[in-house]
Amino acid sequence: DAGIAQSCGSLGMATLRNDQAAGLALLDKACALGDAYGCWNTGRWYIEGRSVPKDETKGALMVDRGCALGYPHACATFGSLLIEGVAVKSDVDRGLAMYQKLCDNGQGYFCHQLGSMYATDRAALADIRLPAPKQVKRDIAKGVRVWEQGCTLGSLWSCTLAANHYASGDGVTKDLGRAKELYERGCDGTKGVQRDACTALGELYEKGSGVAKDLGKAADYYEKGCPGESCRR
C-alpha cells in the first residue's frame, strides 16, 4: 500500500496461488512501480503462457520495461523477441546489438549466448547452451571473437567453445597455441573449472598436439576433467 515495488511483487506471487486475477494485478503494479525483475519474470510468463493466460504483446511490453529499468536478462529476452519477431516487429540487427551491448558492458554470459547465435551449426542437435536462431546468419569467425570476449569476462564455456574452433580450424585459422591458451583459461580453477576444457588440454598433451608430449600433464588435466569421459582416460 505504500507503493514499494518489490513488496507488491512478493504479495502478487503469494496471491497468485489462490486468486490469479488479483495476483496478476499486483505483479502488474510491481512492474509499473519499477520492479525490473518482476517486469521480466511476469513478462516471460505472459509470453510463454506459463501460470498465466498467454498474452505475448503484454509480455513483450513488460519485458521491454524491465530492460528500460536496467535488468540485463530483460534486455536479452527483448533482444531475442526482436530477433525472432515474437510480439514485436522483427529487427534482427537491433536484437543482436542489444546482446552485444550487454557483452560490452561486462556480462560474460550474454557474450556466450551471442557467440553461440553466430557460430553454432544450425544442422547440429540443439543444445540449450548454444542458441541458434534461424534468423541470424551464421558467421563462425564473428562468433569466436564474441566468445573470446566472453572468455576474458569469465565465461568459461566461451573459452572452451572458442578454443574448439581454433583447435579444429573450423571457421577460423587453425591455431593450437591459441586453443591451448583458451583451454587453460577455462580449466585454471580460479573462477571454476570447465571440465571439457581440462579434457581437451589432456588430449593436447597426450597426443603432443601443439605442445611437447607429456603424459603426466595429460593425466593431471584428465583428472581435473573428471567426472565424465576423462576419468576413464
Side-chain angles (χ1 to χ4, degrees), residues 152-172:
T152 301
L153 293 170
S155 171
L156 303 185
W157 255 112
S158 294
C159 302
T160 303
L161 292 167
N164 288 344
H165 283 272
Y166 280 114
S168 64
D170 180 14
V172 293

Side-chain angles (χ1 to χ4, degrees), residues 24 49 97 126 197 217 226:
L24 288 175
K217 283 188 176 180
C226 183

Side-chain angles (χ1 to χ4, degrees), residues 153-215:
L153 293 170
S155 171
L156 303 185
W157 255 112
S158 294
C159 302
T160 303
L161 292 167
N164 288 344
H165 283 272
Y166 280 114
S168 64
D170 180 14
V172 293
T173 301
K174 187 171 182 176
D175 187 338
L176 290 176
R178 181 58 176 158
K180 173 178 173 288
E181 179 185 347
L182 290 164
Y183 283 138
E184 286 174 338
R185 290 188 189 180
C187 183
D188 73 357
T190 57
K191 295 182 179 179
V193 172
Q194 207 295 301
R195 298 187 185 280
D196 289 357
C198 302
T199 301
L201 280 169
E203 291 177 351
L204 294 181
Y205 280 104
E206 182 181 2
K207 298 174 182 177
S209 301
V211 296
K213 188 172 182 177
D214 188 327
L215 296 182

Side-chain angles (χ1 to χ4, degrees), residues 3-231:
I4 299 172
Q6 290 181 330
S7 294
C8 295
S10 297
L11 183 60
M13 291 291 288
T15 305
L16 197 64
R17 300 186 189 100
N18 300 314
D19 188 335
Q20 187 180 78
L24 288 175
L26 285 163
L27 291 172
D28 289 350
K29 182 177 179 180
C31 178
L33 288 170
D35 180 5
Y37 169 82
C39 293
W40 171 68
N41 194 46
T42 308
R44 284 190 309 150
W45 287 358
Y46 277 117
I47 291 166
E48 298 168 10
R50 178 160 48 94
S51 302
V52 300
K54 188 169 184 174
D55 187 336
E56 292 180 339
T57 301
K58 182 171 184 175
L61 288 171
M62 293 185 78
V63 168
D64 189 22
R65 174 160 172 73
C67 178
L69 291 167
Y71 192 64
H73 286 276
C75 295
T77 298
F78 194 72
S80 294
L81 296 178
L82 287 167
I83 290 169
E84 297 172 12
V86 174
V88 294
K89 184 179 179 180
S90 177
D91 190 335
V92 176
D93 290 341
R94 184 186 169 201
L96 293 172
M98 292 181 76
Y99 271 92
Q100 186 64 61
K101 184 177 180 180
L102 291 168
C103 179
D104 293 341
N105 286 341
Q107 300 280 338
Y109 173 75
F110 296 113
C111 301
H112 163 75
Q113 295 290 97
L114 179 59
S116 299
M117 290 184 199
Y118 285 125
T120 302
D121 182 358
R122 272 61 172 162
L125 184 66
D127 185 325
I128 193 169
R129 296 169 305 208
L130 303 177
K134 63 181 183 297
Q135 296 86 351
V136 179
K137 182 180 179 181
R138 193 178 185 207
D139 186 332
I140 297 175
K142 184 181 286 188
V144 170
R145 287 196 298 272
V146 177
W147 277 333
E148 289 180 277
Q149 188 177 354
C151 179
T152 301
L153 293 170
S155 171
L156 303 185
W157 255 112
S158 294
C159 302
T160 303
L161 292 167
N164 288 344
H165 283 272
Y166 280 114
S168 64
D170 180 14
V172 293
T173 301
K174 187 171 182 176
D175 187 338
L176 290 176
R178 181 58 176 158
K180 173 178 173 288
E181 179 185 347
L182 290 164
Y183 283 138
E184 286 174 338
R185 290 188 189 180
C187 183
D188 73 357
T190 57
K191 295 182 179 179
V193 172
Q194 207 295 301
R195 298 187 185 280
D196 289 357
C198 302
T199 301
L201 280 169
E203 291 177 351
L204 294 181
Y205 280 104
E206 182 181 2
K207 298 174 182 177
S209 301
V211 296
K213 188 172 182 177
D214 188 327
L215 296 182
K217 283 188 176 180
D220 288 342
Y221 280 121
Y222 284 144
E223 190 167 0
K224 287 185 76 174
C226 183
E229 171 67 12
S230 56
C231 298

